[in-house]
Amino acid sequence: MDTQQIIAIVVVAVIAIALIIVGVLADRARKKRIETAEQAREDREAAAKEAADTAIAAQQAERSGQSESEPEPPAATPEPAAMPAPTPAPASSVASESAPESATSRMTRLKARLANSANPFGKALFNILAKDHLSEADWEDVEDTLLMADVGADASEQLVDELRNDARITGTHDPAQVREALRSKLLAMVGTDTDRRLNADKPEAHKPSVIIMVGVNGTGKTTTAGKLARLFVADGKSVMLGAADTFRAAAADQLETWGAKVNVPVVRSDKDGADPASVAFEASQRAKNENADVLIIDTAGRLQNKANLMDELGKIRRVTEKNLPVDEVLLVLDATTGQNGMEQAKVFAQAIGITGVVLSKLDGSAKGGIVISVQKELGVPVKLVGLGEGPDDLAPFDPEGFVDGILA
């Protein structure tokens, strides 16, 4: 073997060793990033859980204060406000810490909160359209406002054209008529005739009615699943939760915390990292055996560009349907992510098929237009909205309340 061959072998060996070292370092860096991201997400969810507990404590204190201030009936025997009833009520109708708020009460409260939220785009539109004379630059500002609110390019162009052709806007300076014209246009785009009922609330729903929660990391799926369980309990339904997010160790614990607050059982694996489809199967079997009204299955957050993770969602659905048909797949979207969230939504729709959208953090910015764009792109309705971290800050989406709130 001559000198050149030896040198070549040495060079190849050095390069191979260097590549191995680089690969090891890159792998460590990737694991570190994943750990950091997981820790950040756990911290966010812990903060959300703490906020929910604080809200519940505040509700208890308020109810206790009200009970003490109300006069007692003459013939009644006085009892402490916190004294439990002699006969235990069904688990589906009593919260362990506080009674869930009714859907009607939530909608009224959330409408008021939306009206006071930060920079609703409806107010910005009204301020432009209420001017005495609308120049070409004003109409460009209208379109820019719609785009910044994530209404979407096509819908923004359509709305601007309709507004320009509306005589109530171009032919009058009366703010009331301008507001009514804008309200009617926005209502038409949001959709007032759409059936936004959860499938579990429809007469033809299966029993148990299965709901699968999906979405990317950080959108609040687990929290939304817990809040949705409270909403069903407030309607007198028996609910079961399935902790199929086995990727994040704290997810099942978090879901159990929500379940404990409304006396809802949670089906989870005894070990971390279990097959999520097996948990979904066990939950569906138990819900069927116990004749629950609703089964809500929480799934792991996943990036929409990871084909293997998206395929896993399909597996969860197929395995569940061996026991029970899946009535609903709800995609949880963070309203503040804008068009990025729209791209996520399209991929989830293709991978598992979605029947409705839950928009969380709708009051976090002037991004309310995503209600219009997500429905236009996906062809499925926004069914629920979240406007806070409290346990009852989730309500059925009401188009008129939404539009009136942002125009208030």
Side-chain angles (χ1 to χ4, degrees):
M1 184 178 295
D2 58 21
T3 303
Q4 290 182 341
Q5 289 178 320
I6 294 175
I7 292 174
I9 292 172
V10 171
V11 169
V12 170
V14 170
I15 292 174
I17 293 172
L19 289 174
I20 292 173
I21 293 174
V22 169
V24 170
L25 293 176
D27 185 60
R28 288 180 179 176
R30 181 181 63 82
K31 289 181 178 179
K32 185 65 175 177
R33 288 196 302 272
I34 292 175
E35 291 174 359
T36 302
E38 286 298 314
Q39 185 61 48
R41 185 166 66 252
E42 289 178 9
D43 291 344
R44 287 196 302 271
E45 292 178 345
K49 175 177 172 293
E50 183 178 352
D53 292 339
T54 301
I56 289 174
Q59 290 177 0
Q60 283 183 295
E62 182 179 353
R63 290 191 180 95
S64 178
Q66 291 174 348
S67 298
E68 292 175 0
S69 63
E70 292 175 356
E72 294 176 333
T77 302
E79 292 184 0
M83 182 71 69
T87 303
S92 61
S93 62
V94 177
S96 61
E97 297 189 28
S98 66
E101 187 176 357
S102 68
T104 302
S105 174
R106 292 173 188 230
M107 291 168 68
T108 302
R109 182 170 55 84
L110 297 186
K111 175 182 173 181
R113 182 174 294 183
L114 183 62
N116 294 323
S117 63
N119 302 316
F121 72 93
K123 294 178 182 177
L125 289 178
F126 177 73
N127 290 337
I128 299 171
L129 296 173
K131 291 182 178 180
D132 288 343
H133 300 286
L134 291 175
S135 64
E136 193 62 35
D138 291 328
W139 287 113
E140 290 178 1
D141 287 343
V142 170
E143 188 164 4
D144 289 344
T145 300
L146 292 170
L147 290 172
M148 287 188 292
D150 284 329
V151 173
D154 292 341
S156 296
E157 184 178 356
Q158 176 187 339
L159 184 54
V160 168
D161 288 343
E162 291 180 1
L163 290 170
R164 295 187 75 158
N165 294 328
D166 195 318
R168 290 175 295 177
I169 290 178
T170 58
T172 183
H173 306 310
D174 183 357
Q177 290 190 33
V178 172
R179 184 187 184 282
E180 183 55 35
L182 178 57
R183 180 181 185 275
S184 65
K185 300 297 182 189
L186 289 173
L187 273 176
M189 300 203 77
V190 172
T192 55
D193 298 329
T194 305
D195 186 358
R196 301 179 187 275
R197 292 175 300 169
L198 291 168
N199 291 338
D201 291 329
K202 297 178 180 178
E204 66 273 17
H206 297 92
K207 184 178 178 179
S209 183
V210 179
I211 301 173
I212 298 179
M213 311 293 293
V214 301
V216 301
N217 293 318
T219 56
K221 286 181 312 306
T222 301
T223 299
T224 300
K227 292 179 180 179
L228 183 57
R230 286 179 65 90
L231 191 59
F232 280 123
V233 168
D235 288 339
K237 288 184 169 62
S238 61
V239 185
M240 187 173 293
L241 292 166
D245 180 357
T246 57
F247 177 74
R248 182 170 57 89
D253 294 336
Q254 184 182 4
L255 202 62
E256 280 197 322
T257 299
W258 280 103
K261 290 175 181 176
V262 283
N263 287 336
V264 169
V266 178
V267 178
R268 61 176 295 178
S269 174
D270 294 332
K271 58 181 180 180
D272 294 335
D275 180 14
S278 67
V279 177
F281 181 83
E282 181 183 350
S284 60
Q285 184 66 58
R286 181 172 165 188
K288 183 178 180 179
N289 292 341
E290 298 184 14
N291 200 30
D293 292 318
V294 182
L295 168 64
I296 303 172
I297 299 176
D298 182 33
T299 64
R302 57 202 70 230
L303 297 173
Q304 73 275 15
N305 57 356
K306 298 295 184 182
N308 59 324
L309 294 178
M310 299 305 292
D311 290 343
E312 187 179 79
L313 281 180
K315 179 182 177 184
I316 290 174
R317 177 166 191 161
R318 291 192 302 272
V319 168
T320 301
E321 288 183 331
K322 291 182 178 179
N323 281 323
L324 296 169
V326 174
D327 285 332
E328 190 105 64
V329 178
L330 293 177
L331 173 65
V332 182
L333 277 181
D334 183 337
T336 64
T337 59
Q339 292 305 306
N340 202 23
M342 287 300 308
E343 293 304 314
Q344 300 168 7
K346 292 177 185 176
V347 178
F348 277 96
Q350 294 171 358
I352 190 172
I354 59 177
T355 58
V357 175
V358 181
L359 282 178
S360 62
K361 308 175 189 176
L362 190 57
D363 64 339
S365 67
K367 298 294 185 181
I370 195 172
V371 171
I372 296 172
S373 56
V374 73
Q375 294 182 152
K376 189 176 181 66
E377 291 288 336
L378 299 181
V380 297
V382 172
K383 294 191 173 184
L384 298 162
V385 291
L387 295 176
E389 297 294 341
D392 291 314
D393 288 339
L394 181 74
F397 178 69
D398 173 33
E400 293 191 357
F402 169 74
V403 172
D404 289 341
I406 63 176
L407 289 176

